[in-house]
Amino acid sequence: MKNIYGVLVLCINFVYSQRTPIISHITQKSIKDIGGTTELKCTVLYAADFSVLWVKVDKERFTEPVTFSSGSSLIIRDSRLSLTQDTDSNSYTLQINDIQETDAGFYRCEVMLGLTNKITADTELVVRRRPFISDNSTRSLIVNEGQSVKLECYAGGYPSPIISWRRANNAILANGVSIYRGNILEIPVITKEDRGTYYCVAENGVGKGARRNIALEVEFAPVIMVPKRRLGQALQYDIDLECHVEAYPPPAIIWLNNGVQLSNNQHYRISHFATTDEITDTTIRIITIENRQYGDYICKASNVLGTAEVIVTVYVNGWKQFQKYRHHNCIYKHLCLLNKEH
């Protein structure tokens, strides 16, 4: 009877030893903050005679697998890592302290049955990451007035960031709001008023949000404004004619009188002052004005998209000065018609 019992025990032990190992438990997906701690536990049955490994794997196969441990021994020497083997529960626990962004990924528990034969189970460590703007987002854009425009912004991080759009100085967006949420900001018909800096902001509640400044330049034909279209001045006094020009690209600006382009000399002083890339203020000073300098002056601005011009009229200021001006001009017969009309 004893012999039969001994044989039975031997048979049971033989069958038990021949059973294929199985992974009965592995830690579920864990989400941790940077600087935190995680424990990855793998419980294996019937694996006393087999090697059990913890391996970090890249499922997209951009990088090679990294083996952290084999059996009860760490292979990677890192003070942040520790390994515990519990023989009672047949478990292997990999602990990671002071978690970093680079620790995120998939971790695989492997039982090596042979050189090419193994059983595996995977778990994922997700590390909460502050947002970052992706490289495929818009950086800057130059368009013509009237075109449709799309500004795109994409971001990574965990949890997935929320994207919002704003303009510098909280200016109103083209859709009539100050804040728009979404990856793509569309402007169906852009105007020069839409030019400027746009902010793409990505937020997910982890740390400070990410922001990208996007410069949107709108090319448009010149637009000219003048403070006064008619100015009076007495003889022998200076007078300034002003012109406010908006255009992009920056325009060429000239002043004309009687079809002749004016330049700096003893009679005129011309200056241009660009306050921004799109705005230029130009002034022409008529120095000690003479009779022949009364009349119409043209402020003209041109760029690749068009040309604009405005007439500014300079007239004699004061009745006595006007009489003197008329009398002087009647020396020329073709101007004496002015006297006949009066």
Side-chain angles (χ1 to χ4, degrees), residues 302-314:
S302 305
N303 67 9
V304 293
L305 297 175
T307 299
E309 58 181 47
V310 172
I311 297 174
V312 180
T313 301
V314 180

Side-chain angles (χ1 to χ4, degrees), residues 152-167:
E152 300 183 45
C153 185
Y154 304 97
Y158 191 89
S160 297
I162 295 173
I163 303 295
S164 61
W165 292 89
R166 299 177 178 86
R167 288 186 69 181

Side-chain angles (χ1 to χ4, degrees), residues 2 19 32 58 99 101 147-148 156 188 192 216 221 235 302:
K2 289 182 178 180
R19 293 190 65 172
K32 300 293 181 178
D58 182 355
I99 291 172
E101 285 188 16
Q147 288 184 331
S148 61
K192 61 185 179 64
L216 177 58
L235 281 167
S302 305

